[in-house]
Amino acid sequence: MRFGKLTGYEAEKGKITLDFEGKRAGLQVITAQIVRVFYEEDGVKIPSKAIEGEKAVETPTRLERKEDGLWVFTDTLSARVSDGFHVDFFDPEGAAVCLDYRGERKPVKRLSDEYLKLLEGEGHSLLEGRRECAFEVVKKLEGSEHFYGLGDKTGFLDKRQYDYEMWNTDNPDPQVDNFKALYKSIPFFMALTDSHVYGIFMDNTWKSYFDMGRESEEYYWFGAKGGNLDYYYIAGDSLARVLQNYTYLTGTCPLPQRWTLGYHQSRWGYMTREDVEEVARGMRQNDIPCDVLHFDIDYMQDYKVFTWNRGRYDGDPEGYLKSLAERGFKAVTINDPGVKKQEGYEVYDEGVEKGYFAKTPEGEVYINAVWPGDAAFPDFGSPAVRKWWGEKQKFLLDTGVRGIWNDMNEPASFHGPLPETVVFSDEDRKTIHGEMHNVYGHLMAKATYEGLKALDGRRPFVITRACYAGSQKYTTAWTGDNHSIWSHIQMLIPQLCNLGLSGMPFVGTDVGGFGSDTTPELLARWVEAGCFSPLFRNHSALGTRPQEPWQFGEEVLDIYRKYVKLRYSWIPYFYDLFYEEERTGAPLMRPLVFHYEKDENARVCNDEFLLGDRILAAPVVNQGAVRRMVYLPEGKWYDYWTREEYTGPVSFVAEAPLDTCPVYVKAGSVIPTMEPRSYVEEKPLDTLILDVYPGKGSWDHYLDNGEDFAYREGKYHHYRFTVEEDGSVSGKILHAGYEKPYERILVRRSPEGATEELCLDA
Ligand code: GLC
């Protein structure tokens, strides 16, 4: 796509229409730190799926036409638009931050011209992967860039020098570094250079490409196969601030119900009530705290959504779920989009009759195969279909289900991929699969969230495999079908951190690994790392070696228990982080660079992460290792287990026998914890225990009913605890709106140490 000379412009409020010799493009100041750059092909507006409502606010903006282009100034940035629709961004002092690249792209030449001639026209596999784009945006590399985000990708934290695709993909092979795409498409990244940080969000749902300097050291580029050129330049003085601006656009993840932060046990293969019961009993008998049991596809009748195979549950799934609930277990059921093609099956008949399924270009219901065999695909782009799907959740809620696990929603299909031409809706406009593919899971999650919210009133709990930018408003996510291999425990650190940096904070991996057989050592190390992930679920594939906590004898069981209990004690801390996340978009699991941007080690650290800004985990992710190198960034830190002190920046070898995950806590921390229990609501949350780490600092702690939306009406307690260099602690209440505040607040100075009661300041 080429643009000519900038021949004119018109400005109305923050919206600037640009004329490039008759071709009209636009620039829109959304806030003082966010500028949208767009070109609408044939003037067709495509509603954003990621952004809900109007985000543009009135922003003091000044325009100046200069020789080198049209300059747009806000308080915190300036943008220059010049001939060819080049857009450059500068900081308030006028220093260049993000410039368009003016030269020609120089794609990597893999074949000689002779070879190319030979292969041309033959559809040879060596020619595949040549990327046809409707548009490309090519940006100059300043040189010191590190790139973070891009949603769920394999490989390492820093995406510089790699290239990726956005095309939600279900590929069962073990996911390794050179995968271009996984199940999720979040076309947002942040660039950190020696002098600046900024983000770019390309709001385009088509198959798209991000080459982060693989092709060249001079530029990076992104582009999409179809749709409009539409991206947001997002400024900020830190990664945290840029991410906050991104979540201002696309939303944050709402505070979840407290029990969702507990431990989840799952496996594809729990077929009957007896199978589930054995697991439930195992949890309590082995003293492994557990809140959630997942029901994979076998609970359904012939894999038909919104049915229950009653025979496998003694004819009474409602009664069984109730008995589980009485013992503190919440049921989460899987729900796939594919609706079995079977006349007489209500969901299918209704969908056909109302025209709720995607169609072939000829107007027939499009059929492909998934678990139930031939199946039709709900057209989630249509508001009526989303409403229908949302209302259908009633069946599951009435059975006693407390959360919905959306799977296979890339959408996955067994008889080859859905052709790009399958007809879907985009609200009331008809379009094709090529445009709606990457938002299929997103819209399914939205339908599910809204349905649950309307039916139940509590904070909906949804898990998804596929998603798009902004899905965090409706759903949590797991990273899909990993394997029980060491490279996948390694990968979870950058993977979950980058998801967090892409606006998806409530995420986790299948603990122990999904495919392949786990080993006792791998499972032990995985629970040591996984207990820090917001979504904490052990899940495995049909036919793999069972991996419930007790499958490998006493040693692994003890380790498992130790870390699940550690997780439970920290739930108040996790919950506080969610409060913060809902307001600021800051993820719970953070790469070190999130708080130590200037630190070169932190920028590329792939084997440690932070939980909030106080806790640093350095899990062992190598087979056989019983010690590992630990890096602590600047400041004073305490070893969580021994209280040994370190002053960063420092690297050292930490002892890490099989039962030890090295964990460090920043000096001046007050970590809110709760008393041991076998599930979150087993006892009232009437006692708070503060783990104190001397140093100067404070912590804001929140308490509410952990269940509904009353906190949004002020029904919560907000405490602030302050710690001093000598370890003394004080606390006060900043907001008192919750009817059941703590009865006791205790202070503890060492892991097993005695506690003393804290009196709050008046
Ligand atoms: C998919 C899911 C997996 C699930 C399986 C059967 O592979 O990713 O988690 O167990 O389908 O439903």
Side-chain angles (χ1 to χ4, degrees), residues 268 296-297 334 371 405 407-408 465 478 480-481 510 514 537 539:
W268 175 16
D296 207 320
I297 47 177
I334 203 166
W371 301 122
W405 163 23
D407 187 24
M408 309 296 277
R465 192 168 75 174
W478 97 108
D481 298 348
D510 284 347
F514 175 74
R537 182 183 75 157
H539 179 55

Side-chain angles (χ1 to χ4, degrees), residues 165-389:
E165 289 176 11
M166 297 297 168
W167 187 252
N168 293 356
T169 304
D170 171 32
N171 178 347
D173 294 339
Q175 302 150 3
V176 287
D177 302 5
N178 63 353
F179 268 45
K180 299 288 176 224
L182 294 177
Y183 312 89
K184 302 172 182 64
S185 291
I186 307 184
F188 167 67
F189 63 87
M190 294 191 278
L192 176 69
T193 70
D194 286 341
S195 51
H196 293 99
V197 48
Y198 64 91
I200 287 184
F201 167 43
M202 181 176 75
D203 195 6
N204 179 302
T205 65
W206 291 78
K207 185 174 205 169
S208 59
Y209 307 99
F210 286 78
D211 183 314
M212 312 313 286
R214 172 205 55 137
E215 186 169 287
S216 167
E217 282 294 310
E218 289 169 27
Y219 61 82
Y220 67 94
W221 69 271
F222 48 94
K225 223 177 144 177
N228 289 337
L229 188 172
D230 193 350
Y231 75 88
Y232 294 79
Y233 169 80
I234 304 174
D237 53 8
S238 61
L239 290 167
R241 184 64 219 195
V242 174
L243 183 56
Q244 182 167 17
N245 285 335
Y246 168 73
T247 56
Y248 167 78
L249 287 174
T250 61
T252 59
C253 175
L255 186 70
Q257 294 191 55
R258 197 181 283 111
W259 61 264
T260 65
L261 300 176
Y263 174 71
H264 302 225
Q265 182 65 46
S266 182
R267 177 169 169 84
W268 175 16
Y270 300 153
M271 185 122 176
T272 60
R273 188 193 71 90
E274 287 70 34
D275 292 341
V276 179
E277 187 53 26
E278 201 182 309
V279 178
R281 242 182 293 122
M283 290 296 159
R284 297 296 181 247
Q285 272 167 7
N286 290 296
D287 188 23
I288 303 283
C290 179
D291 267 82
V292 194
L293 297 176
H294 286 242
F295 291 68
D296 207 320
I297 47 177
D298 294 304
Y299 79 87
M300 288 181 264
Q301 184 72 51
D302 305 323
Y303 307 132
K304 286 189 279 192
V305 286
F306 309 115
T307 68
W308 201 291
N309 187 325
R310 303 183 73 83
R312 291 181 184 162
Y313 286 82
D314 301 336
D316 185 19
E318 296 82 2
Y320 182 57
L321 263 50
K322 188 156 171 272
S323 113
L324 282 179
E326 282 159 8
R327 290 174 282 156
F329 294 106
K330 273 67 69 182
V332 167
T333 45
I334 203 166
N335 198 18
D336 295 342
V339 173
K340 187 176 178 65
K341 180 183 175 205
Q342 187 182 66
E343 273 163 40
Y345 163 39
E346 194 197 307
V347 185
Y348 177 73
D349 287 348
E350 212 181 314
V352 172
E353 191 195 306
K354 298 191 168 146
Y356 284 172
F357 296 128
K359 302 245 168 67
T360 64
E362 293 73 37
E364 302 291 321
V365 171
Y366 174 78
I367 301 291
N368 200 320
V370 214
W371 301 122
D374 279 355
F377 295 80
D379 178 10
F380 291 120
S382 145
V385 176
R386 289 199 297 273
K387 186 155 179 288
W388 175 65
W389 194 261

